[in-house]
């Protein structure tokens, strides 16, 4: 106890000030809680296959679900779209961007690779067909060449007999129709430059899936100033229906794509994602909404249990899944009731589309009214707000995928919309976890500081520069360190003292008394 005397006018007040020292309070959880994945979110035709993959690999089912939905979206591409309103021409392409997050060793890559098996089967069939087409092209090209040579000889003879022969008549003798080189149908692109990817899309106008095992490395590459055009290309590709022109291809040539449609899929580690999001939303090179376009972003909890599953794959479920992908690949939109606009000349204009059934429309309208109110409330962190705003495209697209994968025809059903809206609730919890390092105190930094104190790397009294200057993991950013120190002060792990130095005052942090760390 410490006695203190205060003067108040002519009277004296004397009292004892009691200084209460409570121990450090537990820090909050570093990660926000997330909803578990339920395979009922998937199309019923693919649910047994997804469960089989997840059980045999012993990975979170979230990884499998994201791989399946993104793969289906890539196969559909621009083949068919959805109009989520009753009368307007608002058209949504169902391409999806998926990102799975997990520590090394939680089997992200094997899970995704398993879900891409149907696409790899389609690739194998397309490659085989291309070999046949190219052989036919080579034979026909030989015939075309011979015809051109025969025609040229005939033209020369005629010209020799009659030098005044009309040039048009001469040209008609050896003019032959050129044969286009057959292009291979592509489904997946991996390590390609934006310009090369643009050429692939020009040849495959339905769209492509960009698959990268470590996706943040791709995003960081697009952050560079010399990749500004490529970044703009990817941003355009998320829309699925916008044209794009590369103006610096070859010697003054340009490359025009009528509609860029990209689905993107890959994985990353928690630390890499947290670092990237942090830089993006603090006004870095990535502060243009690119990361927010990953609507299918999941960061699941990993189970502490593991069991050895050594059994044959469920071939019936796998074969059913393959048939779903093949059916969607050869889908005839008009045959299943899709409509299509026409231009002034009566030619098809834009992709064919389905609308929502009456019940599905009512469900979607109710959900969207609530969404728009939340986006305008000011209650959401700006980065999370931008992410959730893109659910306007995500949810109708998922409903279309589910409807078609389950063999639906005509208007998109209430069942498909119900599942899509359930995806919304599930995905939002994962988005909140991903953006938690921005919208919540930096708990990870605070725990890293405590770990350094425990190891003896820091004394019991220190300044912030002693934390960030060594460049330790998670502690190299000065601003993050200061935020972490403030959190430790708030939770009574540290106390802070302002020290006059003759210049700018310095802040010294002292480890508080209480339970040792």
């Amino acid at each position: 106890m410490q006695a203190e005397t205060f003067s108040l006018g002519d009277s004296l007040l004397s009292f004892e000030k009691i200084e209460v020292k409570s121990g450090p309070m537990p820090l909050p959880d570093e990660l926000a809680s997330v909803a578990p994945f339920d395979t009922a979110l998937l199309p019923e035709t693919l649910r047994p296959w997804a469960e089989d993959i997840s059980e045999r690999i012993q990975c979170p089912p979230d990884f499998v679900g994201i791989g399946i939905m993104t793969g289906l979206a890539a196969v559909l591409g621009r083949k068919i779209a959805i109009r989520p309103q009753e009368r307007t021409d608002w058209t949504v392409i169902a391409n999806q961007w998926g990102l799975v997050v997990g520590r090394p060793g939680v089997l992200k890559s094997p899970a995704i690779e398993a879900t891409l098996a149907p696409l790899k089967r389609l690739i194998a069939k397309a490659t085989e067909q291309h070999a046949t087409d190219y052989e036919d092209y080579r034979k026909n090209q030989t015939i075309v060449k011979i015809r051109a040579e025969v025609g040229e000889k005939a033209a020369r003879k005629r010209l020799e007999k009659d030098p005044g022969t009309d040039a048009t008549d001469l040209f008609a003798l050896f003019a032959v129709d050129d044969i286009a080189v057959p292009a291979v149908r592509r489904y997946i692109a991996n390590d390609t430059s934006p310009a090369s990817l643009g050429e692939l899309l020009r040849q495959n106008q339905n769209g492509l899936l960009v698959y990268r095992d470590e996706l943040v490395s791709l995003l960081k590459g697009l952050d560079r100033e010399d990749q500004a055009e490529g970044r703009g290309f990817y941003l355009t590709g998320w829309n699925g229906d916008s044209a794009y022109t590369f103006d610096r291809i070859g010697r003054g040539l340009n490359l025009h794509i009528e509609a860029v449609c990209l689905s993107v899929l890959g994985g990353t580690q928690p630390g890499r994602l947290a670092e990237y999001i942090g830089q993006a939303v603090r006004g870095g090179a990535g502060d243009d909404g690119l990361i927010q376009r990953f609507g299918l972003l999941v960061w699941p909890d990993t189970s502490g249990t593991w069991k050895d599953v050594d059994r044959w794959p469920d071939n019936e479920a796998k074969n059913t899944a393959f048939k779903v992908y093949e059916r969607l690949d050869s889908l005839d939109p008009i045959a299943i009731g899709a409509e299509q606009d026409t231009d002034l000349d009566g030619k098809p204009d834009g992709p064919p589309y389905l609308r929502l059934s009456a019940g599905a429309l009512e469900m979607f309208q109710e959900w969207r009214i609530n969404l728009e109110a939340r986006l305008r409330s000011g209650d959401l962190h700006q980065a999370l707000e931008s992410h959730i705003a893109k659910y306007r495209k995500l949810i109708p697209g998922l409903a279309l995928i589910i409807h078609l994968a389950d063999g639906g025809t005509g208007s998109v059903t209430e069942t498909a919309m119900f599942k899509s809206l359930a995806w919304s609730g599930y995905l939002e919890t994962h988005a909140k976890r991903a953006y938690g390092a921005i919208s919540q105190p930096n708990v990870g930094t605070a725990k890293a500081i405590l770990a350094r104190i425990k190891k003896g790397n820091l004394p019991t009294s220190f300044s912030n520069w002693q934390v960030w200057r060594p460049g330790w993991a998670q502690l190299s950013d000065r601003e993050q360190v200061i935020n972490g120190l403030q959190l430790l002060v708030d939770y009574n792990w540290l106390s802070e003292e302002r020290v006059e130095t003759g210049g700018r005052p310095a802040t010294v942090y002292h480890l508080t008394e209480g339970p040792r760390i």
Side-chain angles (χ1 to χ4, degrees):
M1 296 185 181
Q2 181 180 3
E4 293 189 6
T5 302
F6 291 83
S7 174
L8 183 62
D10 295 330
S11 64
L12 291 177
L13 290 176
S14 180
F15 67 96
E16 292 183 327
K17 178 183 177 183
I18 302 176
E19 186 175 343
V20 179
K21 287 183 176 291
S22 61
M25 296 178 289
L27 292 173
D29 291 336
E30 189 171 349
L31 295 176
S33 61
V34 293
F37 184 77
D38 190 335
T39 55
L41 294 171
L42 296 170
E44 286 301 314
T45 51
L46 300 175
R47 187 175 177 181
W49 179 53
E51 292 171 346
D52 179 60
I53 293 174
S54 180
E55 183 185 9
R56 285 187 297 105
I57 295 179
Q58 286 290 286
C59 67
D62 315 60
F63 298 164
V64 178
I66 298 306
I68 288 176
M69 297 303 288
T70 310
L72 289 171
V75 173
L76 279 179
R78 289 181 48 78
K79 208 177 272 93
I80 187 169
I82 183 171
R83 289 192 171 175
Q85 293 181 309
E86 187 175 8
R87 302 177 182 86
T88 70
D89 61 356
W90 173 28
T91 306
V92 171
I93 306 297
N95 60 312
Q96 302 294 333
W97 287 24
L99 175 58
V100 300
V101 185
R103 301 189 314 274
V106 295
L107 303 170
K108 301 186 297 295
S109 297
I112 294 177
E113 289 287 348
T115 66
L116 294 179
L119 273 78
K120 293 177 182 177
R121 180 180 174 85
L122 293 175
I123 291 170
K125 294 175 67 175
T127 302
E128 183 179 345
Q129 182 62 48
H130 179 259
T132 301
D133 293 343
Y134 192 83
E135 182 62 22
D136 292 342
Y137 161 79
R138 191 183 62 80
K139 293 175 181 177
N140 291 332
Q141 190 69 5
T142 301
I143 295 173
V144 167
K145 182 179 180 181
I146 294 173
R147 285 176 178 169
E149 291 173 350
V150 171
E152 184 179 353
K153 290 180 180 179
R156 289 180 181 277
K157 288 182 179 180
R158 180 177 293 188
L159 191 60
E160 289 174 357
K161 291 180 179 180
D162 183 7
T165 301
D166 184 84
T168 303
D169 294 337
L170 289 174
F171 183 75
L173 290 173
F174 63 86
V176 294
D177 294 331
D178 195 14
I179 301 175
V181 179
V184 63
R185 171 74 171 95
R186 292 289 297 270
Y187 295 85
I188 300 177
N190 300 111
D191 190 12
T192 57
S193 68
S196 298
L197 183 57
E199 176 59 25
L200 289 176
L201 284 167
R202 189 185 65 80
Q203 299 174 9
N204 297 269
Q205 298 183 18
N206 190 57
L208 289 169
L209 170 67
V210 175
Y211 171 55
R212 295 287 289 268
D213 187 50
E214 171 41 66
L215 198 51
V216 169
S217 62
L218 169 64
L219 303 183
K220 285 187 173 182
L222 294 172
D223 286 348
R224 301 201 316 263
E225 290 185 12
D226 62 343
Q227 289 295 317
E229 186 176 48
R231 190 177 186 86
F233 180 66
Y234 270 87
L235 290 168
T236 301
W238 176 82
N239 298 327
D241 58 359
S242 301
Y244 196 91
T245 301
F246 286 95
D247 291 322
R248 294 189 293 274
I249 303 297
R251 298 181 179 178
L253 302 177
N254 61 40
L255 171 64
H256 179 74
I257 304 117
E258 292 186 4
V260 181
C261 181
L262 289 176
S263 291
V264 182
L265 176 63
T268 194
Q269 299 174 23
R272 291 178 65 86
L273 178 66
E275 178 187 7
Y276 185 82
I277 290 180
Q279 293 174 352
V281 302
R282 285 198 300 269
D287 188 16
D288 56 4
L290 183 63
I291 189 64
Q292 281 90 351
R293 281 164 168 76
F294 286 88
L296 295 179
L297 186 158
V298 295
W299 185 343
D301 296 320
T302 53
S303 173
T305 60
W306 178 87
K307 64 178 180 179
D308 182 27
V309 178
D310 186 4
R311 62 168 174 79
W312 296 109
D314 185 340
N315 283 326
E316 182 179 354
K318 183 177 181 179
N319 291 336
T320 298
F322 281 13
K323 290 177 181 177
V324 170
Y325 283 74
E326 290 174 356
R327 174 168 54 80
L328 295 184
D329 186 49
S330 59
L331 183 72
D332 180 355
I334 304 303
I336 64 167
E339 304 175 64
Q340 190 168 23
D341 294 340
T342 56
D343 60 18
L344 294 176
D345 297 324
K347 297 179 181 179
D349 184 22
Y353 60 87
L354 296 178
R355 291 194 186 269
L356 300 173
S357 67
L361 178 62
E362 183 179 354
M363 294 168 65
F364 179 71
Q365 287 175 334
E366 182 180 354
W367 171 83
R368 190 179 174 200
I369 289 171
N370 179 62
L371 173 72
E372 300 294 346
R374 293 179 62 205
L375 294 176
R376 290 160 174 77
S377 67
D379 295 335
L380 297 173
H381 185 278
Q382 184 177 355
L384 184 60
E385 179 185 287
S386 174
H387 185 99
I388 295 175
K390 291 172 177 55
Y391 284 10
R392 298 182 183 109
K393 178 181 186 296
L394 173 74
I395 299 309
L398 292 178
L400 177 65
I401 293 170
I402 294 167
H403 175 70
L404 295 175
D406 277 339
T409 60
S411 300
V412 175
T413 64
E414 293 181 51
T415 299
M417 180 54 69
F418 180 80
K419 287 191 174 188
S420 181
L421 295 178
W423 270 97
S424 172
Y426 158 78
L427 289 169
E428 185 173 330
T429 66
H430 289 256
K432 288 179 177 178
R433 168 172 284 188
Y435 291 95
I438 307 303
S439 58
Q440 297 176 6
N442 197 329
V443 180
T445 301
K447 290 183 177 180
I449 294 171
L450 291 180
R452 290 294 167 180
I453 297 174
K454 183 177 181 180
K455 290 180 180 179
N457 298 135
L458 288 169
T460 56
S461 296
F462 55 89
S463 298
N464 66 66
W465 63 266
Q466 293 175 273
V467 182
W468 57 262
R469 185 172 291 177
W472 294 316
Q474 291 186 268
L475 300 176
S476 59
D477 185 285
R478 181 175 182 273
E479 183 178 349
Q480 288 183 359
V481 165
I482 291 174
N483 290 338
L485 290 169
Q486 185 58 53
L487 180 66
L488 291 172
V489 171
D490 293 340
Y491 279 78
N492 205 33
W493 287 89
L494 299 175
S495 62
E496 55 183 342
E497 178 188 4
R498 302 284 285 180
V499 178
E500 296 297 332
T501 62
R504 295 180 59 184
T507 301
V508 177
Y509 298 90
H510 306 283
L511 187 65
T512 58
E513 296 180 5
R516 294 296 85 195
I517 55 176

